Amino acid sequence: MPRLAAPAGSARSADLARLAAPAGPARSAALARLPRLAAPAGPPDGAILIVTDAAADAEVPPACRGRAGDFPAGQAERDHRALALLLDLSAPVEVAAGAPAATAGGSLARKDATGNGQPLRQGRPRKPRVTLPVILAVQAVLSARLVIANTAFQDEALYLWAGRAELAHWTGGSLLPPYPVYFSGAPVIYPPLGAAVASIGGLAAARCLSLAFMLAATVMLHGVTRRIFDRRSALFAAALFAGTGSAQFLGALATYDAMALALLAAAMWLGVRAAGSKPRTRLALLAGAGLLLALANATKYASALFDPAVLATVMLYAWMTGGRKAGLRAAAIPFAALAAALGAAIVAGGHAYWYGITSSTLTRASGPSPPAGILYLSGEWIGVIVVLAIVGAVTVTVTSRSLAAKVLAWVLAATSLLAPLEQARIHTLTSLFKHVGYGALFASIVAGFALAALPLVVPRAKARRAARLAGAATILAGLLGCTTSSAAYDGWPNTTRVTAALSRLLRPHGRYLAEDDDILAYYLQGRVPWVQWTSTWFFRYTDPSDGKVLLGIPAYAAAIREGYFTVIVLSFGDTLTTDKAIERDIAEDGNYQLVSSQPYRTSSFRGDYRIWVHRTQAKR
């Protein structure tokens, strides 16, 4: 059962005992459950009054610790404060001072000068029915069911193909496409790693690598939540995050999102772990947190959107446990390491990398999607966690007297809105389903606390029912995540049949135009070099008749008239306007023959892959 620490003052034990005595008929039932101090002597100045759960023996949440003099002076105010702070009204009270005081039925806690200490355990603690390994096993199953559910997504194919090219360049000096110019993450970090794993076990192995990253993120989330709140809150937080559709989806997607998310979580854990450590250890942990943030940002540029949330979490937690100066130092050290590492990386990358950062992330082109639709979809995907996070933030605001704790709770809850609001600003749905998972990582911390506290804010007779309700809410969120992740994974066509059809049409030195060229190039990478592929997203062509350089639709038309392409594959999906223009050009030219039409379907669309071959090649 979670426990909260109530701020204690220099009030005499008689004052504390009066909290347990009924002051009126309306409060008798609740106040009768307040614990009584067994020791006749009151706590000395500087003591810490802590509410503990001797059975669960979880950590005391730093968010609710207080110093002497913080406890309200008036009886009525004390009673009201006790009811608000002592959420578990049946928990024993323990007083920690220079000499520990005995408590009725509870444990003893000793605090050092910084206010950090561990309660002495008595008896065997009651273990939760659901443990972190169980949650991780469920998360692994939920993502593993998707690993073989579909062929490569366009981004997966692009990054794994690029990684293979990078590895070939490193080992043999082969030519590379200008990946840094248009990639939204450094092409030298995740793509080679994913390609190396895929070379061993194929696409499924690369997807399992992402699953490992997501499991690591869940472990880090559990560690952070346990330090800020307690064990039960941590378990709920881990379960909520593992059940989100985004977490299940990213755990089965071979892109750099899972790696970036795991690095963000690891940076946050190192920063929180640094609080209370020895000076040298604290410095190393905080600097390491900044370096991990830099690595996360280099892995996926858009992850920098969540850097302030990580730094704020580290700062506010250190503020709660060690004071304002400790909090400011805890923010300054990782920020300095982050700035230094990113600055060095940008200088080393040069103009190409900076152009890629600005074009793919900082000045990304706006789309046609209405902001209301973007926010609505975000609510469908992570709305449960957002609501619970707000409830948890309100609970902390009401029950804690620590300003840092209140701000931290709202920072964590508000982080869930960063990605939806940013993408609503630029009117784009691209990658929204993946990006909301980043915010869910942070919001799950305080959402887990909300669920853990639910059985404690209701009458004791209803506590068991409230606990079941909290568990049911977690399961329901996971089931909704299963539905959304399955729909997202079915959101692109299965390319097995079109790849097989195209493989029979390959020619030496042929040129291939395809809308999904990354996917086809990935599956045919051993037979067709990258220089022989052209996509329907961008094309530049020099007209041999007059030497004029053409771009876009005019370039495709001129190339088709000249018989530049050996095979053309259109799916009439994302580049529908361009595909239709190319189809008209093919019909007008008359030198291309339709040789195959492969139907496909997605969760929201049905269509056909159509394959044309130039007549001079079709006769061979």
Side-chain angles (χ1 to χ4, degrees):
M1 199 180 299
R3 57 193 182 166
L4 294 177
S10 57
R12 297 184 305 273
S13 60
D15 293 331
L16 295 176
R18 282 199 298 271
L19 292 175
R27 295 183 289 121
S28 60
L31 293 179
R33 297 170 54 197
L34 287 174
R36 300 173 182 271
L37 287 175
D45 290 344
I48 304 294
L49 175 64
I50 307 166
V51 179
T52 66
D53 184 346
D57 201 21
E59 294 182 62
V60 177
C64 300
R65 291 174 181 155
R67 285 291 180 187
D70 288 344
F71 208 64
Q75 164 113 18
E77 189 177 359
R78 279 199 302 271
D79 292 349
H80 176 77
R81 189 65 185 165
L83 288 173
L85 282 172
L86 308 180
L87 294 182
D88 183 3
L89 297 180
S90 64
V93 172
E94 52 179 324
V95 178
T103 63
S107 60
L108 298 177
R110 296 183 178 90
K111 299 288 179 181
D112 58 22
T114 65
N116 296 319
Q118 296 297 330
L120 299 178
R121 301 191 176 187
Q122 296 182 356
R124 296 184 63 184
R126 184 178 59 200
K127 294 183 179 180
R129 294 181 179 179
V130 178
T131 60
L132 180 59
V134 173
I135 294 173
L136 295 176
V138 173
Q139 180 182 0
V141 170
L142 293 177
S143 289
R145 68 187 173 87
L146 302 173
V147 167
I148 58 174
N150 204 347
T151 55
F153 180 51
Q154 185 172 0
D155 288 352
E156 291 181 297
L158 174 61
Y159 302 147
L160 296 179
W161 183 38
R164 187 174 185 271
E166 289 284 353
L167 292 175
H169 176 71
W170 295 348
T171 57
S174 60
L175 294 177
L176 281 175
Y179 294 132
V181 173
Y182 61 91
F183 267 31
S184 55
V188 296
I189 299 179
Y190 171 78
L193 176 61
V197 174
S199 66
I200 299 172
L203 177 63
R207 288 173 169 175
C208 288
L209 174 64
S210 294
L211 175 56
F213 282 129
M214 294 305 295
L215 293 175
T218 303
V219 172
M220 299 300 171
L221 168 65
H222 178 274
V224 171
T225 309
R226 182 166 181 171
R227 287 185 172 273
I228 296 177
F229 293 110
D230 55 22
R231 180 171 55 187
R232 273 182 171 73
S233 299
L235 290 173
F236 274 115
L240 283 172
F241 175 70
T244 60
S246 296
Q248 297 177 37
F249 181 73
L250 293 178
L253 196 71
T255 65
Y256 38 52
D257 292 276
M259 181 177 177
L261 189 57
L263 290 170
L264 285 176
M268 182 166 55
W269 182 82
L270 282 183
V272 170
R273 175 67 179 81
S277 301
K278 295 180 180 179
R280 290 185 179 180
T281 303
R282 181 167 60 249
L283 176 62
L285 291 175
L286 291 174
L291 295 178
L292 285 181
L293 275 182
L295 183 57
N297 298 163
T299 301
K300 180 180 175 70
Y301 303 146
S303 66
L305 179 66
F306 301 92
D307 286 358
V310 174
L311 295 174
T313 300
V314 173
M315 179 188 72
L316 292 169
Y317 180 76
W319 193 320
M320 289 189 300
T321 57
R324 181 177 60 182
K325 291 183 178 179
L328 295 177
R329 286 195 301 268
I333 294 172
F335 177 78
L338 169 65
L342 287 183
I346 292 174
V347 171
H351 175 74
Y353 275 87
W354 179 246
Y355 182 85
I357 294 172
T358 55
S359 62
S360 68
T361 306
L362 299 180
T363 60
R364 189 164 185 164
S366 297
S369 303
I374 294 172
L375 297 178
Y376 176 79
L377 286 175
S378 301
E380 279 192 344
W381 295 332
I382 60 168
V384 173
I385 287 182
V386 172
V387 171
L388 289 174
I390 293 174
V391 172
V394 171
T395 303
V396 173
T397 301
V398 172
T399 60
S400 176
R401 300 195 67 182
S402 167
L403 176 62
K406 297 176 183 179
V407 175
L408 174 57
W410 285 107
V411 165
L412 294 171
T415 303
S416 62
L417 304 177
L418 287 181
L421 291 176
E422 169 60 18
Q423 299 208 205
R425 182 186 69 85
I426 59 177
H427 302 269
T428 182
L429 286 169
T430 303
S431 299
L432 176 63
F433 187 65
K434 297 188 293 183
H435 293 164
V436 295
Y438 288 72
L441 176 76
F442 295 85
S444 294
I445 297 174
V446 68
F449 169 70
L451 289 179
L454 181 60
L456 310 178
V457 296
V458 299
R460 178 181 293 181
K462 298 181 179 180
R464 186 178 299 273
R465 186 180 303 174
R468 292 173 179 171
L469 178 61
T474 305
I475 295 174
L476 176 60
L479 293 176
L480 292 175
C482 290
T483 302
T484 56
S485 62
S486 296
Y489 221 78
D490 198 29
W492 63 88
N494 188 298
T495 56
T496 302
R497 296 175 61 183
V498 68
T499 302
L502 181 59
S503 66
R504 295 190 292 267
L505 301 173
L506 300 181
R507 301 288 185 268
H509 310 294
R511 299 187 184 96
Y512 305 93
L513 170 64
E515 177 176 335
D516 299 322
D517 65 313
D518 296 323
I519 300 175
L520 298 174
Y522 169 72
Y523 283 112
L524 300 172
Q525 57 188 314
R527 302 175 60 184
V528 182
W530 66 267
V531 294
Q532 295 175 221
W533 289 98
T534 301
S535 77
T536 55
W537 293 90
F538 175 81
F539 182 51
R540 180 173 61 184
Y541 181 71
T542 301
D543 194 333
S545 62
D546 56 9
K548 186 177 181 181
V549 177
L550 304 173
L551 297 175
I553 292 178
Y556 293 115
I560 289 171
R561 287 196 304 268
E562 297 295 330
Y564 178 80
F565 300 113
T566 306
V567 180
I568 299 176
V569 184
L570 301 179
S571 56
F572 303 92
D574 293 331
T575 59
L576 179 60
T577 301
T578 302
D579 288 4
K580 288 184 176 180
I582 292 173
E583 186 180 33
R584 289 194 299 268
D585 295 333
I586 291 174
E588 292 175 2
D589 180 68
N591 287 319
Y592 284 87
Q593 177 182 349
L594 180 64
V595 297
S596 179
S597 181
Q598 302 289 340
Y600 69 85
R601 68 169 185 83
T602 69
S603 56
S604 59
F605 186 74
R606 289 179 179 270
D608 295 279
Y609 279 107
R610 299 180 186 177
I611 304 177
W612 289 267
V613 178
H614 197 272
R615 295 188 183 276
T616 59
Q617 301 294 330
K619 295 178 182 179
R620 297 182 181 181

